[in-house]
Amino acid sequence: MSRPMPARATRRAGPAPSPAARRVIRLNNAFQLLFNLLWWMPVFYAYQRDAGLSDGQIFGIQSIYYTAFCLFEIPTGVVADRIGARNCLRAGAVVMTAANLAPVLAPSYTGFLVHFLAIAAGRSLASGAASAYLYDALRAEGADAHYLDAEGTARSLGLAAKVLCWPLVGPLMTLARPAPYVLSAACAAGSLLCALALPRLAPRPDARRGPGGRRRGTLLHGTGAALRALRASPWLPLLMVQGVAVFTLARICQVNLFQPVLLDHGIGEGAHGSVLAAMTVAEAVASARPRWLSRRLSAAQWVSLLSVALAVTLAATTLGAPWAVVALLCAFAAITGFVYPVQRKLVNDAVPADAPRATLLSVESIVDRGVCALAAVAAGAYLTAGRLDALLWHSAAVTCVLIPALHLALRRTRRSAGSRTGHPTARTPGPGSRVPRPSEQPASLPADEGAAQPPPGPRRGG
């Protein structure tokens, strides 16, 4: 059913964000861009080889990195809920700045190990806190409808910066070999300035506080609150698991399988940078336009459908000529760009208003990273046996079986919640928030945000 273009544009954009909300969005964009701009990413393998590390040492450090990331996620999420997401972002930026200088000060196995352990700590400090801060800040300003675009735009700008900066790494290294790490440290320091400029959030009315206004609770208390929220809302853990396929496929393809796939089709190393740049452009464009997705499907349906599309696209690279493989990898990157902000919004919408948001987002990251670590081990075994094609097809088969089963479980959870409330698709406001209770309704459509929102209430000022 068609509508005039102006009406559709109005529905999609929603009310214009306030000046305070626009400031939060701009600072978040700058923070995400600078914090994640790792100049050393395209050359860290060769850099470590030149420093005298063996392949076993290099990949061993990567294995330790994934494990450390998982171990850091829960305590850092609880810290974010205890000291505030803004302070956690500041701490993460400080750690990242120091981490990027470690290989410059100690270009050895120990130096690189410390570097990646600190990277894991810094990124875990910011992984849940950044999304939690942006979501809560926009909600406090009555700009909920702009969260999806803000999340997607921040990711898009970060990807675009990588396209512009990564080709400069080679020439810069000829002038000063440690340049990629020094520039990464400078960018992390810039992200600290952005975090320092972020406005303070008003405390949640349901926040537990002790004498002096400080948040009460311990690590065990925060973890227990997160687990209780997961038990109380079956919809939330299912949504988290749904995102595992997206993150694992994207990570394994873009980090572990990118070069093997190209080499297997006779595409030399000299062209890998250009292919990676093309993929990054495709992902950046899609990340900035999640509302291009049709409103005929819900956000959860889109994530399920796009997860299957990712697996099938990656498996199809086994069939095509070199030019077709490049096109399929770019399509893979574009699908990844579409689905990331939608999945992030789904999970944020499903977090109950009184739950520790940053801790729960850290739980999601733990699941993602844990499965990714297992997938990396499996990928290594397949590649060692020379069975790259089998790996890609088996991944597609597993995804095509598990995702429909998971989506069926999501539908059954939705019906069960609806039968309890009598309104299976009602958008019932949760306590103390205009965000609907996750266990009683599905998330809103990505292109229809704000179209069926309850009337704006007073801003949270307490």
Side-chain angles (χ1 to χ4, degrees):
M1 181 174 175
S2 62
R3 293 183 175 88
M5 287 299 293
R8 291 185 65 181
T10 300
R11 289 186 62 171
R12 291 190 179 193
S18 66
R22 289 197 297 271
R23 180 168 180 259
V24 167
I25 291 172
R26 287 195 298 268
L27 288 172
N28 176 72
N29 289 344
F31 176 87
Q32 296 283 11
L33 188 156
L34 294 170
F35 187 85
N36 294 301
L37 186 54
L38 303 177
W39 290 73
W40 49 261
M41 183 66 73
V43 297
F44 79 92
Y45 174 79
Y47 196 95
Q48 291 179 70
R49 286 291 300 270
D50 291 344
L53 275 67
S54 66
D55 283 349
Q57 289 175 315
I58 293 172
F59 287 103
I61 290 175
Q62 290 298 299
S63 177
I64 295 172
Y65 164 76
Y66 278 118
T67 303
F69 206 122
C70 290
L71 294 176
F72 288 149
E73 278 291 348
I74 280 291
T76 53
V78 174
V79 166
D81 285 316
R82 180 173 174 80
I83 69 173
R86 183 181 64 157
N87 290 329
C88 204
L89 294 178
R90 295 172 176 176
V94 170
V95 173
M96 283 290 284
T97 303
N100 286 313
L101 291 175
V104 179
L105 302 176
S108 61
Y109 175 84
T110 301
F112 286 111
L113 177 60
V114 171
H115 163 68
F116 273 101
L117 287 175
I119 290 289
R123 295 188 69 175
S124 63
L125 280 166
S127 63
S131 183
Y133 177 88
L134 178 63
Y135 191 87
D136 285 339
L138 293 183
R139 186 174 62 179
E141 290 295 328
D144 310 53
H146 295 274
Y147 171 78
L148 180 62
D149 285 334
E151 193 79 68
T153 299
R155 181 173 178 79
S156 177
L157 291 174
L159 293 168
K162 292 174 182 177
V163 172
L164 295 175
C165 295
W166 280 350
L168 303 176
V169 172
L172 287 171
M173 288 183 69
T174 62
L175 299 176
R177 186 150 188 81
Y181 290 94
V182 174
L183 288 172
S184 298
C187 288
S191 72
L192 174 60
L193 297 179
C194 295
L196 291 172
L198 287 170
R200 182 186 182 93
L201 291 180
R204 292 201 316 250
D206 52 12
R208 293 169 58 90
R209 294 182 177 272
R214 295 179 60 84
R215 290 177 175 84
R216 296 196 312 178
T218 62
L219 173 64
L220 290 178
H221 178 271
T223 304
L227 294 177
R228 287 192 296 273
L230 290 173
R231 286 198 303 269
S233 174
W235 176 259
L236 177 56
L238 286 174
L239 288 177
M240 290 180 174
V241 174
Q242 180 181 237
V244 168
V246 175
F247 184 86
T248 303
L249 287 169
R251 185 75 178 178
I252 293 299
C253 173
Q254 295 172 344
V255 176
N256 301 97
L257 298 182
F258 167 71
Q259 287 187 307
V261 167
L262 293 180
L263 292 172
D264 190 59
H265 288 82
I267 301 175
E269 293 182 357
H272 290 188
S274 299
V275 175
L276 184 59
M279 290 175 62
T280 307
V281 170
E283 185 175 352
V285 171
S287 293
R289 296 292 183 271
R291 297 179 187 276
W292 283 355
L293 299 176
S294 168
R295 289 172 291 174
R296 295 180 183 275
L297 299 179
S298 71
Q301 289 171 330
W302 269 119
V303 173
S304 296
L305 180 63
L306 293 176
S307 298
V308 173
L310 282 173
V312 172
T313 302
L314 190 56
T317 60
T318 63
L319 303 176
W323 63 268
V325 170
V326 173
L328 286 168
L329 288 175
C330 289
F332 180 95
I335 296 170
T336 302
F338 276 129
V339 74
Y340 263 157
V342 177
Q343 169 65 16
R344 179 62 69 180
K345 182 186 182 302
L346 269 172
V347 174
N348 264 302
D349 278 350
V351 174
D354 57 347
R357 183 178 301 279
T359 304
L360 286 168
L361 293 179
S362 292
V363 170
E364 181 194 24
S365 184
I366 286 176
V367 175
D368 290 340
R369 301 283 176 174
V371 174
C372 189
L374 295 176
V377 173
Y382 272 91
L383 290 174
T384 301
R387 303 181 62 202
L388 175 60
D389 288 4
L391 168 63
L392 300 180
W393 283 109
H394 290 169
S395 300
V398 170
T399 303
C400 291
V401 170
L402 292 182
I403 288 297
L406 179 61
H407 195 76
L408 179 62
L410 281 167
R411 289 175 62 89
R412 293 186 64 179
T413 302
R414 171 184 172 182
R415 291 197 190 101
S416 175
S419 64
R420 291 196 302 269
T421 63
H423 300 284
T425 60
R427 306 178 65 84
T428 308
S433 172
R434 293 188 292 111
V435 178
R437 294 171 66 94
S439 61
E440 298 177 2
Q441 53 85 45
S444 58
L445 305 183
D448 200 24
E449 174 124 22
Q453 300 287 340
R459 293 181 185 174
R460 298 189 315 167

